Amino acid sequence: MVNPGKPSGACDLCRKRRIKCDESRPTCSYCQKKDVPCRYPKSEFDVSWRDQTQVASQAVRRRLDARDTSLPGDECQEPSSSLIGRTPPDVPRVLAQDQKEYALSFFFDTYLRPSTLSNHQRGFLGCVPPAWSRASPSSPLRPAITACAQALLEAWSFLNPNAPDSPSRAYYAQGIMAVRRHLEDAEDINDDVLLATLLLDMYDGIRSFCGARPHQSPHVRGSVAMIQNRRNIPLASKTSPSTLLGVRSRIIGDALKKREPVSSTVLAWTASIQDTPKSADLELESIILEVANLQVLATDLKNPSAAALAPALLAKATELDQRLLAWLATIPDAWLPTYIYDLNTIPQSIKAAGFYGNHCTIHQSIWTAETLNIHCVSRITIGLVILACLDYTTNIEIPNSTHTETLTTLQNLADTICASVPFYLGDRIGLKRIDDKSILYPHLPGVPTPDEHYITAAAYGGMFLMKRFAEVLKLAPYLRVGQVPWAVGQMQRVKGIYLVSPS
């Protein structure tokens, strides 16, 4: 049975000879004893995609011979032959018997790697590594994480996680059954169940993204009900506060996207956590919660009985917009973007792939970039509410410039999101490996692109941008000529990069 724990960090020689490595750096004890060079893979991703030697092939045959003695439930580790057979010839093939270990290694090293560029919070994903390290074998967290890991590995292997024979489906089913079993048997709802629920939702999101279809997020709604029924307050576990804040972040973001209200009890969760540190992330989420609820109220303005609320909604929208502007003054200086206007410093390949206007922005990390774009999306939502309210406030005095100023603001916000595209995607076009360092990204002269950005931009950039462009397209009637086709073209570019196809 494949070890579900942390993937091995053994050196190349110990891996080849299949002996235990003490992982000492720069030379392990075995290599030192043999007086031979000791080499380690650059990352766990390199381990996952390493060339398979004759020794590994023999090991596979041994595992095949012993497969009948495997524990029940391991059958989902082996993808069907038809799934493996569709791997393009220029992509290193993953051995079927190592699929689960490779997938977990890939997921933790790529999507859950601690950032060295910033200490920015990453929502519930930041809670996963410590929860995984202490999760019991029966925890629903294990199959839920494995489902996400397997789906992402398939996607980056240019396979289709929506395929009927995708191995990730079996882990997803195991995760759902484990959550249900725990809810039926346990007296309380622990962190593992909450995180497993959000990871199952993440799995649905991965499949929705790869299949170019809307993500309905039923598991997020389930997490709300779980927390409301949770009795273990105050929270005892050291990771419980982070878990609760991670769930809170996911719920608020989902509500804004889907124009759904957020219960006021969500804010109360934070109040229930003692010594919750003040942070720019939490403050922004608190404002977004109010923006999401304001958006819901504004959708009823076409109803004659609700039109009378327009003046009050307009006042609230203006107040929230001012709070969002004030929020920018509270964030760390390192979060602020750097603007590049000298187009001579931008490689031509980046300009050809996707460059809008006369400048682009670079950021501390993909996480700070996404936070600022979420800030833009929140202000776009408010701007659209203001425009809607202006149509129903003929009986009160409003400056004539309000409409024009709002349109200008919306255009500037759309431009800000478009200016971040080179930082998210670089000059990446078409199918490439996730760790491809031949991709060019904009950077300041003399300051090379950090190694971490090559991974995180590829891992998250496309999915983040598809969400933000969906908000930009809501502004289609108000944007300058040519911007909507450009945004649509960039969405098509993302689909080509990630092999997104309707399913």
Side-chain angles (χ1 to χ4, degrees), residues 178-211:
V179 168
R180 289 177 177 173
R181 186 165 52 248
H182 187 94
L183 293 177
E184 292 172 355
D185 299 341
E187 295 181 357
D188 202 359
I189 299 168
N190 61 28
D191 297 342
D192 284 12
V193 176
L194 287 174
L195 284 176
T197 302
L198 290 186
L199 284 160
L200 293 173
D201 179 75
M202 180 179 177
Y203 172 81
D204 283 342
I206 295 167
R207 292 188 58 201
S208 297
F209 174 76
C210 293

PDB file of all heavy atoms in Angstrom, residues 178-211:
ATOM      1  N   ALA A 178     -16.967   9.274   3.910  1.00  0.00           N
ATOM      2  CA  ALA A 178     -16.303   9.461   5.204  1.00  0.00           C
ATOM      3  C   ALA A 178     -16.912  10.633   5.966  1.00  0.00           C
ATOM      4  O   ALA A 178     -17.097  10.566   7.184  1.00  0.00           O
ATOM      5  CB  ALA A 178     -14.809   9.684   4.996  1.00  0.00           C
ATOM      6  N   VAL A 179     -17.237  11.725   5.257  1.00  0.00           N
ATOM      7  CA  VAL A 179     -17.874  12.872   5.915  1.00  0.00           C
ATOM      8  C   VAL A 179     -19.247  12.477   6.450  1.00  0.00           C
ATOM      9  O   VAL A 179     -19.593  12.785   7.600  1.00  0.00           O
ATOM     10  CB  VAL A 179     -17.989  14.059   4.928  1.00  0.00           C
ATOM     11  CG1 VAL A 179     -18.903  15.143   5.500  1.00  0.00           C
ATOM     12  CG2 VAL A 179     -16.619  14.643   4.623  1.00  0.00           C
ATOM     13  N   ARG A 180     -20.016  11.797   5.629  1.00  0.00           N
ATOM     14  CA  ARG A 180     -21.351  11.374   6.074  1.00  0.00           C
ATOM     15  C   ARG A 180     -21.265  10.440   7.277  1.00  0.00           C
ATOM     16  O   ARG A 180     -22.043  10.562   8.231  1.00  0.00           O
ATOM     17  CB  ARG A 180     -22.081  10.679   4.921  1.00  0.00           C
ATOM     18  CG  ARG A 180     -22.507  11.623   3.800  1.00  0.00           C
ATOM     19  CD  ARG A 180     -23.150  10.848   2.673  1.00  0.00           C
ATOM     20  NE  ARG A 180     -23.618  11.749   1.624  1.00  0.00           N
ATOM     21  CZ  ARG A 180     -24.103  11.346   0.460  1.00  0.00           C
ATOM     22  NH1 ARG A 180     -24.177  10.045   0.196  1.00  0.00           N
ATOM     23  NH2 ARG A 180     -24.503  12.220  -0.435  1.00  0.00           N
ATOM     24  N   ARG A 181     -20.316   9.531   7.224  1.00  0.00           N
ATOM     25  CA  ARG A 181     -20.170   8.579   8.320  1.00  0.00           C
ATOM     26  C   ARG A 181     -19.806   9.300   9.615  1.00  0.00           C
ATOM     27  O   ARG A 181     -20.324   8.982  10.686  1.00  0.00           O
ATOM     28  CB  ARG A 181     -19.099   7.547   7.954  1.00  0.00           C
ATOM     29  CG  ARG A 181     -18.944   6.410   8.936  1.00  0.00           C
ATOM     30  CD  ARG A 181     -18.150   5.264   8.329  1.00  0.00           C
ATOM     31  NE  ARG A 181     -16.883   5.694   7.757  1.00  0.00           N
ATOM     32  CZ  ARG A 181     -16.585   5.703   6.465  1.00  0.00           C
ATOM     33  NH1 ARG A 181     -17.491   5.324   5.574  1.00  0.00           N
ATOM     34  NH2 ARG A 181     -15.408   6.103   6.034  1.00  0.00           N
ATOM     35  N   HIS A 182     -18.931  10.296   9.505  1.00  0.00           N
ATOM     36  CA  HIS A 182     -18.526  11.037  10.691  1.00  0.00           C
ATOM     37  C   HIS A 182     -19.687  11.861  11.246  1.00  0.00           C
ATOM     38  O   HIS A 182     -19.876  11.931  12.463  1.00  0.00           O
ATOM     39  CB  HIS A 182     -17.355  11.962  10.363  1.00  0.00           C
ATOM     40  CG  HIS A 182     -16.764  12.633  11.564  1.00  0.00           C
ATOM     41  ND1 HIS A 182     -15.680  12.117  12.244  1.00  0.00           N
ATOM     42  CD2 HIS A 182     -17.125  13.756  12.233  1.00  0.00           C
ATOM     43  CE1 HIS A 182     -15.391  12.899  13.271  1.00  0.00           C
ATOM     44  NE2 HIS A 182     -16.251  13.904  13.281  1.00  0.00           N
ATOM     45  N   LEU A 183     -20.467  12.469  10.363  1.00  0.00           N
ATOM     46  CA  LEU A 183     -21.595  13.271  10.828  1.00  0.00           C
ATOM     47  C   LEU A 183     -22.640  12.401  11.524  1.00  0.00           C
ATOM     48  O   LEU A 183     -23.340  12.865  12.431  1.00  0.00           O
ATOM     49  CB  LEU A 183     -22.229  14.020   9.646  1.00  0.00           C
ATOM     50  CG  LEU A 183     -21.358  15.106   9.020  1.00  0.00           C
ATOM     51  CD1 LEU A 183     -22.079  15.718   7.810  1.00  0.00           C
ATOM     52  CD2 LEU A 183     -21.022  16.194  10.021  1.00  0.00           C
ATOM     53  N   GLU A 184     -22.750  11.161  11.095  1.00  0.00           N
ATOM     54  CA  GLU A 184     -23.724  10.267  11.707  1.00  0.00           C
ATOM     55  C   GLU A 184     -23.249   9.726  13.056  1.00  0.00           C
ATOM     56  O   GLU A 184     -24.051   9.530  13.973  1.00  0.00           O
ATOM     57  CB  GLU A 184     -24.016   9.085  10.766  1.00  0.00           C
ATOM     58  CG  GLU A 184     -24.762   9.483   9.506  1.00  0.00           C
ATOM     59  CD  GLU A 184     -24.854   8.328   8.512  1.00  0.00           C
ATOM     60  OE1 GLU A 184     -24.250   7.267   8.800  1.00  0.00           O
ATOM     61  OE2 GLU A 184     -25.495   8.498   7.466  1.00  0.00           O
ATOM     62  N   ASP A 185     -21.911   9.523  13.170  1.00  0.00           N
ATOM     63  CA  ASP A 185     -21.391   8.853  14.353  1.00  0.00           C
ATOM     64  C   ASP A 185     -20.837   9.799  15.411  1.00  0.00           C
ATOM     65  O   ASP A 185     -20.889   9.489  16.601  1.00  0.00           O
ATOM     66  CB  ASP A 185     -20.285   7.869  13.958  1.00  0.00           C
ATOM     67  CG  ASP A 185     -20.795   6.790  13.015  1.00  0.00           C
ATOM     68  OD1 ASP A 185     -22.016   6.591  12.970  1.00  0.00           O
ATOM     69  OD2 ASP A 185     -19.970   6.178  12.313  1.00  0.00           O
ATOM     70  N   ALA A 186     -20.289  10.938  15.002  1.00  0.00           N
ATOM     71  CA  ALA A 186     -19.602  11.809  15.954  1.00  0.00           C
ATOM     72  C   ALA A 186     -20.577  12.704  16.705  1.00  0.00           C
ATOM     73  O   ALA A 186     -21.641  13.049  16.195  1.00  0.00           O
ATOM     74  CB  ALA A 186     -18.558  12.667  15.224  1.00  0.00           C
ATOM     75  N   GLU A 187     -20.162  13.084  17.903  1.00  0.00           N
ATOM     76  CA  GLU A 187     -20.985  13.980  18.699  1.00  0.00           C
ATOM     77  C   GLU A 187     -20.782  15.432  18.305  1.00  0.00           C
ATOM     78  O   GLU A 187     -21.625  16.286  18.575  1.00  0.00           O
ATOM     79  CB  GLU A 187     -20.659  13.800  20.186  1.00  0.00           C
ATOM     80  CG  GLU A 187     -21.007  12.418  20.735  1.00  0.00           C
ATOM     81  CD  GLU A 187     -20.694  12.309  22.208  1.00  0.00           C
ATOM     82  OE1 GLU A 187     -20.166  13.290  22.764  1.00  0.00           O
ATOM     83  OE2 GLU A 187     -20.978  11.255  22.803  1.00  0.00           O
ATOM     84  N   ASP A 188     -19.670  15.739  17.692  1.00  0.00           N
ATOM     85  CA  ASP A 188     -19.388  17.114  17.305  1.00  0.00           C
ATOM     86  C   ASP A 188     -18.713  17.128  15.938  1.00  0.00           C
ATOM     87  O   ASP A 188     -18.291  16.096  15.427  1.00  0.00           O
ATOM     88  CB  ASP A 188     -18.484  17.774  18.342  1.00  0.00           C
ATOM     89  CG  ASP A 188     -18.569  19.294  18.306  1.00  0.00           C
ATOM     90  OD1 ASP A 188     -19.311  19.822  17.453  1.00  0.00           O
ATOM     91  OD2 ASP A 188     -17.903  19.938  19.119  1.00  0.00           O
ATOM     92  N   ILE A 189     -18.601  18.304  15.354  1.00  0.00           N
ATOM     93  CA  ILE A 189     -18.022  18.476  14.028  1.00  0.00           C
ATOM     94  C   ILE A 189     -16.621  19.035  14.207  1.00  0.00           C
ATOM     95  O   ILE A 189     -16.460  20.183  14.627  1.00  0.00           O
ATOM     96  CB  ILE A 189     -18.883  19.423  13.173  1.00  0.00           C
ATOM     97  CG1 ILE A 189     -20.283  18.835  13.008  1.00  0.00           C
ATOM     98  CG2 ILE A 189     -18.241  19.674  11.817  1.00  0.00           C
ATOM     99  CD1 ILE A 189     -21.282  19.805  12.434  1.00  0.00           C
ATOM    100  N   ASN A 190     -15.616  18.229  13.899  1.00  0.00           N
ATOM    101  CA  ASN A 190     -14.246  18.681  14.126  1.00  0.00           C
ATOM    102  C   ASN A 190     -13.663  19.356  12.890  1.00  0.00           C
ATOM    103  O   ASN A 190     -14.301  19.458  11.839  1.00  0.00           O
ATOM    104  CB  ASN A 190     -13.362  17.513  14.590  1.00  0.00           C
ATOM    105  CG  ASN A 190     -13.302  16.398  13.548  1.00  0.00           C
ATOM    106  OD1 ASN A 190     -13.445  16.627  12.348  1.00  0.00           O
ATOM    107  ND2 ASN A 190     -13.085  15.169  14.014  1.00  0.00           N
ATOM    108  N   ASP A 191     -12.403  19.801  13.035  1.00  0.00           N
ATOM    109  CA  ASP A 191     -11.748  20.539  11.957  1.00  0.00           C
ATOM    110  C   ASP A 191     -11.593  19.700  10.696  1.00  0.00           C
ATOM    111  O   ASP A 191     -11.706  20.211   9.578  1.00  0.00           O
ATOM    112  CB  ASP A 191     -10.367  21.018  12.414  1.00  0.00           C
ATOM    113  CG  ASP A 191     -10.447  21.981  13.577  1.00  0.00           C
ATOM    114  OD1 ASP A 191     -11.536  22.539  13.801  1.00  0.00           O
ATOM    115  OD2 ASP A 191      -9.425  22.179  14.262  1.00  0.00           O
ATOM    116  N   ASP A 192     -11.297  18.405  10.876  1.00  0.00           N
ATOM    117  CA  ASP A 192     -11.097  17.536   9.717  1.00  0.00           C
ATOM    118  C   ASP A 192     -12.344  17.501   8.831  1.00  0.00           C
ATOM    119  O   ASP A 192     -12.244  17.512   7.599  1.00  0.00           O
ATOM    120  CB  ASP A 192     -10.754  16.116  10.165  1.00  0.00           C
ATOM    121  CG  ASP A 192      -9.313  16.003  10.637  1.00  0.00           C
ATOM    122  OD1 ASP A 192      -8.674  17.056  10.823  1.00  0.00           O
ATOM    123  OD2 ASP A 192      -8.836  14.875  10.813  1.00  0.00           O
ATOM    124  N   VAL A 193     -13.507  17.441   9.451  1.00  0.00           N
ATOM    125  CA  VAL A 193     -14.749  17.377   8.673  1.00  0.00           C
ATOM    126  C   VAL A 193     -14.961  18.690   7.912  1.00  0.00           C
ATOM    127  O   VAL A 193     -15.337  18.691   6.732  1.00  0.00           O
ATOM    128  CB  VAL A 193     -15.946  17.085   9.591  1.00  0.00           C
ATOM    129  CG1 VAL A 193     -17.247  17.113   8.799  1.00  0.00           C
ATOM    130  CG2 VAL A 193     -15.782  15.731  10.257  1.00  0.00           C
ATOM    131  N   LEU A 194     -14.707  19.817   8.573  1.00  0.00           N
ATOM    132  CA  LEU A 194     -14.874  21.116   7.907  1.00  0.00           C
ATOM    133  C   LEU A 194     -13.920  21.255   6.729  1.00  0.00           C
ATOM    134  O   LEU A 194     -14.314  21.650   5.623  1.00  0.00           O
ATOM    135  CB  LEU A 194     -14.634  22.245   8.910  1.00  0.00           C
ATOM    136  CG  LEU A 194     -15.726  22.476   9.950  1.00  0.00           C
ATOM    137  CD1 LEU A 194     -15.276  23.528  10.959  1.00  0.00           C
ATOM    138  CD2 LEU A 194     -17.015  22.932   9.284  1.00  0.00           C
ATOM    139  N   LEU A 195     -12.649  20.928   6.953  1.00  0.00           N
ATOM    140  CA  LEU A 195     -11.668  21.040   5.878  1.00  0.00           C
ATOM    141  C   LEU A 195     -11.955  20.050   4.761  1.00  0.00           C
ATOM    142  O   LEU A 195     -11.807  20.381   3.573  1.00  0.00           O
ATOM    143  CB  LEU A 195     -10.259  20.818   6.426  1.00  0.00           C
ATOM    144  CG  LEU A 195      -9.656  21.979   7.218  1.00  0.00           C
ATOM    145  CD1 LEU A 195      -8.302  21.594   7.782  1.00  0.00           C
ATOM    146  CD2 LEU A 195      -9.528  23.220   6.349  1.00  0.00           C
ATOM    147  N   ALA A 196     -12.370  18.841   5.121  1.00  0.00           N
ATOM    148  CA  ALA A 196     -12.696  17.847   4.095  1.00  0.00           C
ATOM    149  C   ALA A 196     -13.844  18.346   3.232  1.00  0.00           C
ATOM    150  O   ALA A 196     -13.840  18.160   2.001  1.00  0.00           O
ATOM    151  CB  ALA A 196     -13.062  16.518   4.750  1.00  0.00           C
ATOM    152  N   THR A 197     -14.825  18.987   3.848  1.00  0.00           N
ATOM    153  CA  THR A 197     -15.962  19.518   3.093  1.00  0.00           C
ATOM    154  C   THR A 197     -15.505  20.567   2.082  1.00  0.00           C
ATOM    155  O   THR A 197     -15.938  20.567   0.924  1.00  0.00           O
ATOM    156  CB  THR A 197     -16.993  20.136   4.052  1.00  0.00           C
ATOM    157  OG1 THR A 197     -17.425  19.146   4.982  1.00  0.00           O
ATOM    158  CG2 THR A 197     -18.197  20.650   3.293  1.00  0.00           C
ATOM    159  N   LEU A 198     -14.611  21.460   2.500  1.00  0.00           N
ATOM    160  CA  LEU A 198     -14.120  22.489   1.576  1.00  0.00           C
ATOM    161  C   LEU A 198     -13.204  21.895   0.513  1.00  0.00           C
ATOM    162  O   LEU A 198     -13.174  22.380  -0.631  1.00  0.00           O
ATOM    163  CB  LEU A 198     -13.390  23.575   2.349  1.00  0.00           C
ATOM    164  CG  LEU A 198     -14.272  24.463   3.225  1.00  0.00           C
ATOM    165  CD1 LEU A 198     -13.455  25.601   3.827  1.00  0.00           C
ATOM    166  CD2 LEU A 198     -15.444  25.041   2.434  1.00  0.00           C
ATOM    167  N   LEU A 199     -12.454  20.865   0.846  1.00  0.00           N
ATOM    168  CA  LEU A 199     -11.607  20.219  -0.162  1.00  0.00           C
ATOM    169  C   LEU A 199     -12.448  19.452  -1.183  1.00  0.00           C
ATOM    170  O   LEU A 199     -12.104  19.407  -2.368  1.00  0.00           O
ATOM    171  CB  LEU A 199     -10.616  19.285   0.521  1.00  0.00           C
ATOM    172  CG  LEU A 199      -9.440  20.015   1.192  1.00  0.00           C
ATOM    173  CD1 LEU A 199      -8.778  19.142   2.240  1.00  0.00           C
ATOM    174  CD2 LEU A 199      -8.424  20.460   0.144  1.00  0.00           C
ATOM    175  N   LEU A 200     -13.550  18.866  -0.742  1.00  0.00           N
ATOM    176  CA  LEU A 200     -14.465  18.241  -1.695  1.00  0.00           C
ATOM    177  C   LEU A 200     -15.050  19.305  -2.625  1.00  0.00           C
ATOM    178  O   LEU A 200     -15.258  19.059  -3.822  1.00  0.00           O
ATOM    179  CB  LEU A 200     -15.574  17.503  -0.954  1.00  0.00           C
ATOM    180  CG  LEU A 200     -15.133  16.274  -0.150  1.00  0.00           C
ATOM    181  CD1 LEU A 200     -16.296  15.727   0.678  1.00  0.00           C
ATOM    182  CD2 LEU A 200     -14.587  15.189  -1.066  1.00  0.00           C
ATOM    183  N   ASP A 201     -15.302  20.487  -2.072  1.00  0.00           N
ATOM    184  CA  ASP A 201     -15.771  21.594  -2.907  1.00  0.00           C
ATOM    185  C   ASP A 201     -14.673  22.036  -3.873  1.00  0.00           C
ATOM    186  O   ASP A 201     -14.941  22.366  -5.030  1.00  0.00           O
ATOM    187  CB  ASP A 201     -16.194  22.762  -2.022  1.00  0.00           C
ATOM    188  CG  ASP A 201     -16.662  23.961  -2.840  1.00  0.00           C
ATOM    189  OD1 ASP A 201     -17.780  23.904  -3.369  1.00  0.00           O
ATOM    190  OD2 ASP A 201     -15.898  24.939  -2.950  1.00  0.00           O
ATOM    191  N   MET A 202     -13.430  22.043  -3.399  1.00  0.00           N
ATOM    192  CA  MET A 202     -12.312  22.382  -4.276  1.00  0.00           C
ATOM    193  C   MET A 202     -12.214  21.387  -5.420  1.00  0.00           C
ATOM    194  O   MET A 202     -11.947  21.760  -6.572  1.00  0.00           O
ATOM    195  CB  MET A 202     -11.010  22.406  -3.473  1.00  0.00           C
ATOM    196  CG  MET A 202      -9.781  22.751  -4.288  1.00  0.00           C
ATOM    197  SD  MET A 202      -8.291  22.788  -3.261  1.00  0.00           S
ATOM    198  CE  MET A 202      -7.036  23.120  -4.523  1.00  0.00           C
ATOM    199  N   TYR A 203     -12.412  20.109  -5.110  1.00  0.00           N
ATOM    200  CA  TYR A 203     -12.395  19.080  -6.158  1.00  0.00           C
ATOM    201  C   TYR A 203     -13.481  19.375  -7.198  1.00  0.00           C
ATOM    202  O   TYR A 203     -13.229  19.294  -8.409  1.00  0.00           O
ATOM    203  CB  TYR A 203     -12.618  17.707  -5.529  1.00  0.00           C
ATOM    204  CG  TYR A 203     -12.810  16.601  -6.546  1.00  0.00           C
ATOM    205  CD1 TYR A 203     -11.726  16.013  -7.181  1.00  0.00           C
ATOM    206  CD2 TYR A 203     -14.085  16.150  -6.880  1.00  0.00           C
ATOM    207  CE1 TYR A 203     -11.902  15.008  -8.115  1.00  0.00           C
ATOM    208  CE2 TYR A 203     -14.268  15.144  -7.807  1.00  0.00           C
ATOM    209  CZ  TYR A 203     -13.185  14.573  -8.421  1.00  0.00           C
ATOM    210  OH  TYR A 203     -13.359  13.588  -9.351  1.00  0.00           O
ATOM    211  N   ASP A 204     -14.679  19.702  -6.736  1.00  0.00           N
ATOM    212  CA  ASP A 204     -15.738  20.067  -7.683  1.00  0.00           C
ATOM    213  C   ASP A 204     -15.327  21.264  -8.523  1.00  0.00           C
ATOM    214  O   ASP A 204     -15.625  21.342  -9.721  1.00  0.00           O
ATOM    215  CB  ASP A 204     -17.033  20.389  -6.920  1.00  0.00           C
ATOM    216  CG  ASP A 204     -17.751  19.142  -6.436  1.00  0.00           C
ATOM    217  OD1 ASP A 204     -17.458  18.048  -6.963  1.00  0.00           O
ATOM    218  OD2 ASP A 204     -18.599  19.249  -5.535  1.00  0.00           O
ATOM    219  N   GLY A 205     -14.650  22.226  -7.880  1.00  0.00           N
ATOM    220  CA  GLY A 205     -14.201  23.404  -8.609  1.00  0.00           C
ATOM    221  C   GLY A 205     -13.171  23.080  -9.670  1.00  0.00           C
ATOM    222  O   GLY A 205     -13.183  23.665 -10.758  1.00  0.00           O
ATOM    223  N   ILE A 206     -12.256  22.159  -9.364  1.00  0.00           N
ATOM    224  CA  ILE A 206     -11.252  21.750 -10.352  1.00  0.00           C
ATOM    225  C   ILE A 206     -11.925  21.123 -11.563  1.00  0.00           C
ATOM    226  O   ILE A 206     -11.615  21.442 -12.714  1.00  0.00           O
ATOM    227  CB  ILE A 206     -10.267  20.757  -9.712  1.00  0.00           C
ATOM    228  CG1 ILE A 206      -9.457  21.442  -8.608  1.00  0.00           C
ATOM    229  CG2 ILE A 206      -9.323  20.170 -10.770  1.00  0.00           C
ATOM    230  CD1 ILE A 206      -8.690  20.474  -7.725  1.00  0.00           C
ATOM    231  N   ARG A 207     -12.866  20.245 -11.309  1.00  0.00           N
ATOM    232  CA  ARG A 207     -13.569  19.589 -12.417  1.00  0.00           C
ATOM    233  C   ARG A 207     -14.418  20.588 -13.196  1.00  0.00           C
ATOM    234  O   ARG A 207     -14.521  20.500 -14.429  1.00  0.00           O
ATOM    235  CB  ARG A 207     -14.436  18.459 -11.883  1.00  0.00           C
ATOM    236  CG  ARG A 207     -13.643  17.279 -11.327  1.00  0.00           C
ATOM    237  CD  ARG A 207     -14.559  16.118 -10.992  1.00  0.00           C
ATOM    238  NE  ARG A 207     -15.306  15.691 -12.159  1.00  0.00           N
ATOM    239  CZ  ARG A 207     -16.431  14.993 -12.123  1.00  0.00           C
ATOM    240  NH1 ARG A 207     -16.958  14.660 -10.928  1.00  0.00           N
ATOM    241  NH2 ARG A 207     -17.052  14.625 -13.223  1.00  0.00           N
ATOM    242  N   SER A 208     -15.018  21.541 -12.498  1.00  0.00           N
ATOM    243  CA  SER A 208     -15.820  22.553 -13.188  1.00  0.00           C
ATOM    244  C   SER A 208     -14.930  23.417 -14.075  1.00  0.00           C
ATOM    245  O   SER A 208     -15.278  23.737 -15.219  1.00  0.00           O
ATOM    246  CB  SER A 208     -16.566  23.429 -12.176  1.00  0.00           C
ATOM    247  OG  SER A 208     -17.487  22.662 -11.430  1.00  0.00           O
ATOM    248  N   PHE A 209     -13.755  23.801 -13.537  1.00  0.00           N
ATOM    249  CA  PHE A 209     -12.820  24.618 -14.313  1.00  0.00           C
ATOM    250  C   PHE A 209     -12.362  23.867 -15.555  1.00  0.00           C
ATOM    251  O   PHE A 209     -12.374  24.413 -16.665  1.00  0.00           O
ATOM    252  CB  PHE A 209     -11.627  24.990 -13.439  1.00  0.00           C
ATOM    253  CG  PHE A 209     -10.526  25.708 -14.173  1.00  0.00           C
ATOM    254  CD1 PHE A 209     -10.654  27.040 -14.506  1.00  0.00           C
ATOM    255  CD2 PHE A 209      -9.356  25.046 -14.523  1.00  0.00           C
ATOM    256  CE1 PHE A 209      -9.641  27.715 -15.188  1.00  0.00           C
ATOM    257  CE2 PHE A 209      -8.337  25.693 -15.195  1.00  0.00           C
ATOM    258  CZ  PHE A 209      -8.482  27.035 -15.526  1.00  0.00           C
ATOM    259  N   CYS A 210     -11.953  22.606 -15.377  1.00  0.00           N
ATOM    260  CA  CYS A 210     -11.471  21.826 -16.523  1.00  0.00           C
ATOM    261  C   CYS A 210     -12.589  21.518 -17.517  1.00  0.00           C
ATOM    262  O   CYS A 210     -12.322  21.305 -18.702  1.00  0.00           O
ATOM    263  CB  CYS A 210     -10.843  20.522 -16.029  1.00  0.00           C
ATOM    264  SG  CYS A 210      -9.325  20.742 -15.090  1.00  0.00           S
ATOM    265  N   GLY A 211     -13.825  21.476 -17.041  1.00  0.00           N
ATOM    266  CA  GLY A 211     -14.957  21.191 -17.920  1.00  0.00           C
ATOM    267  C   GLY A 211     -15.693  22.416 -18.405  1.00  0.00           C
ATOM    268  O   GLY A 211     -16.730  22.295 -19.064  1.00  0.00           O
TER     269      GLY A 211
END
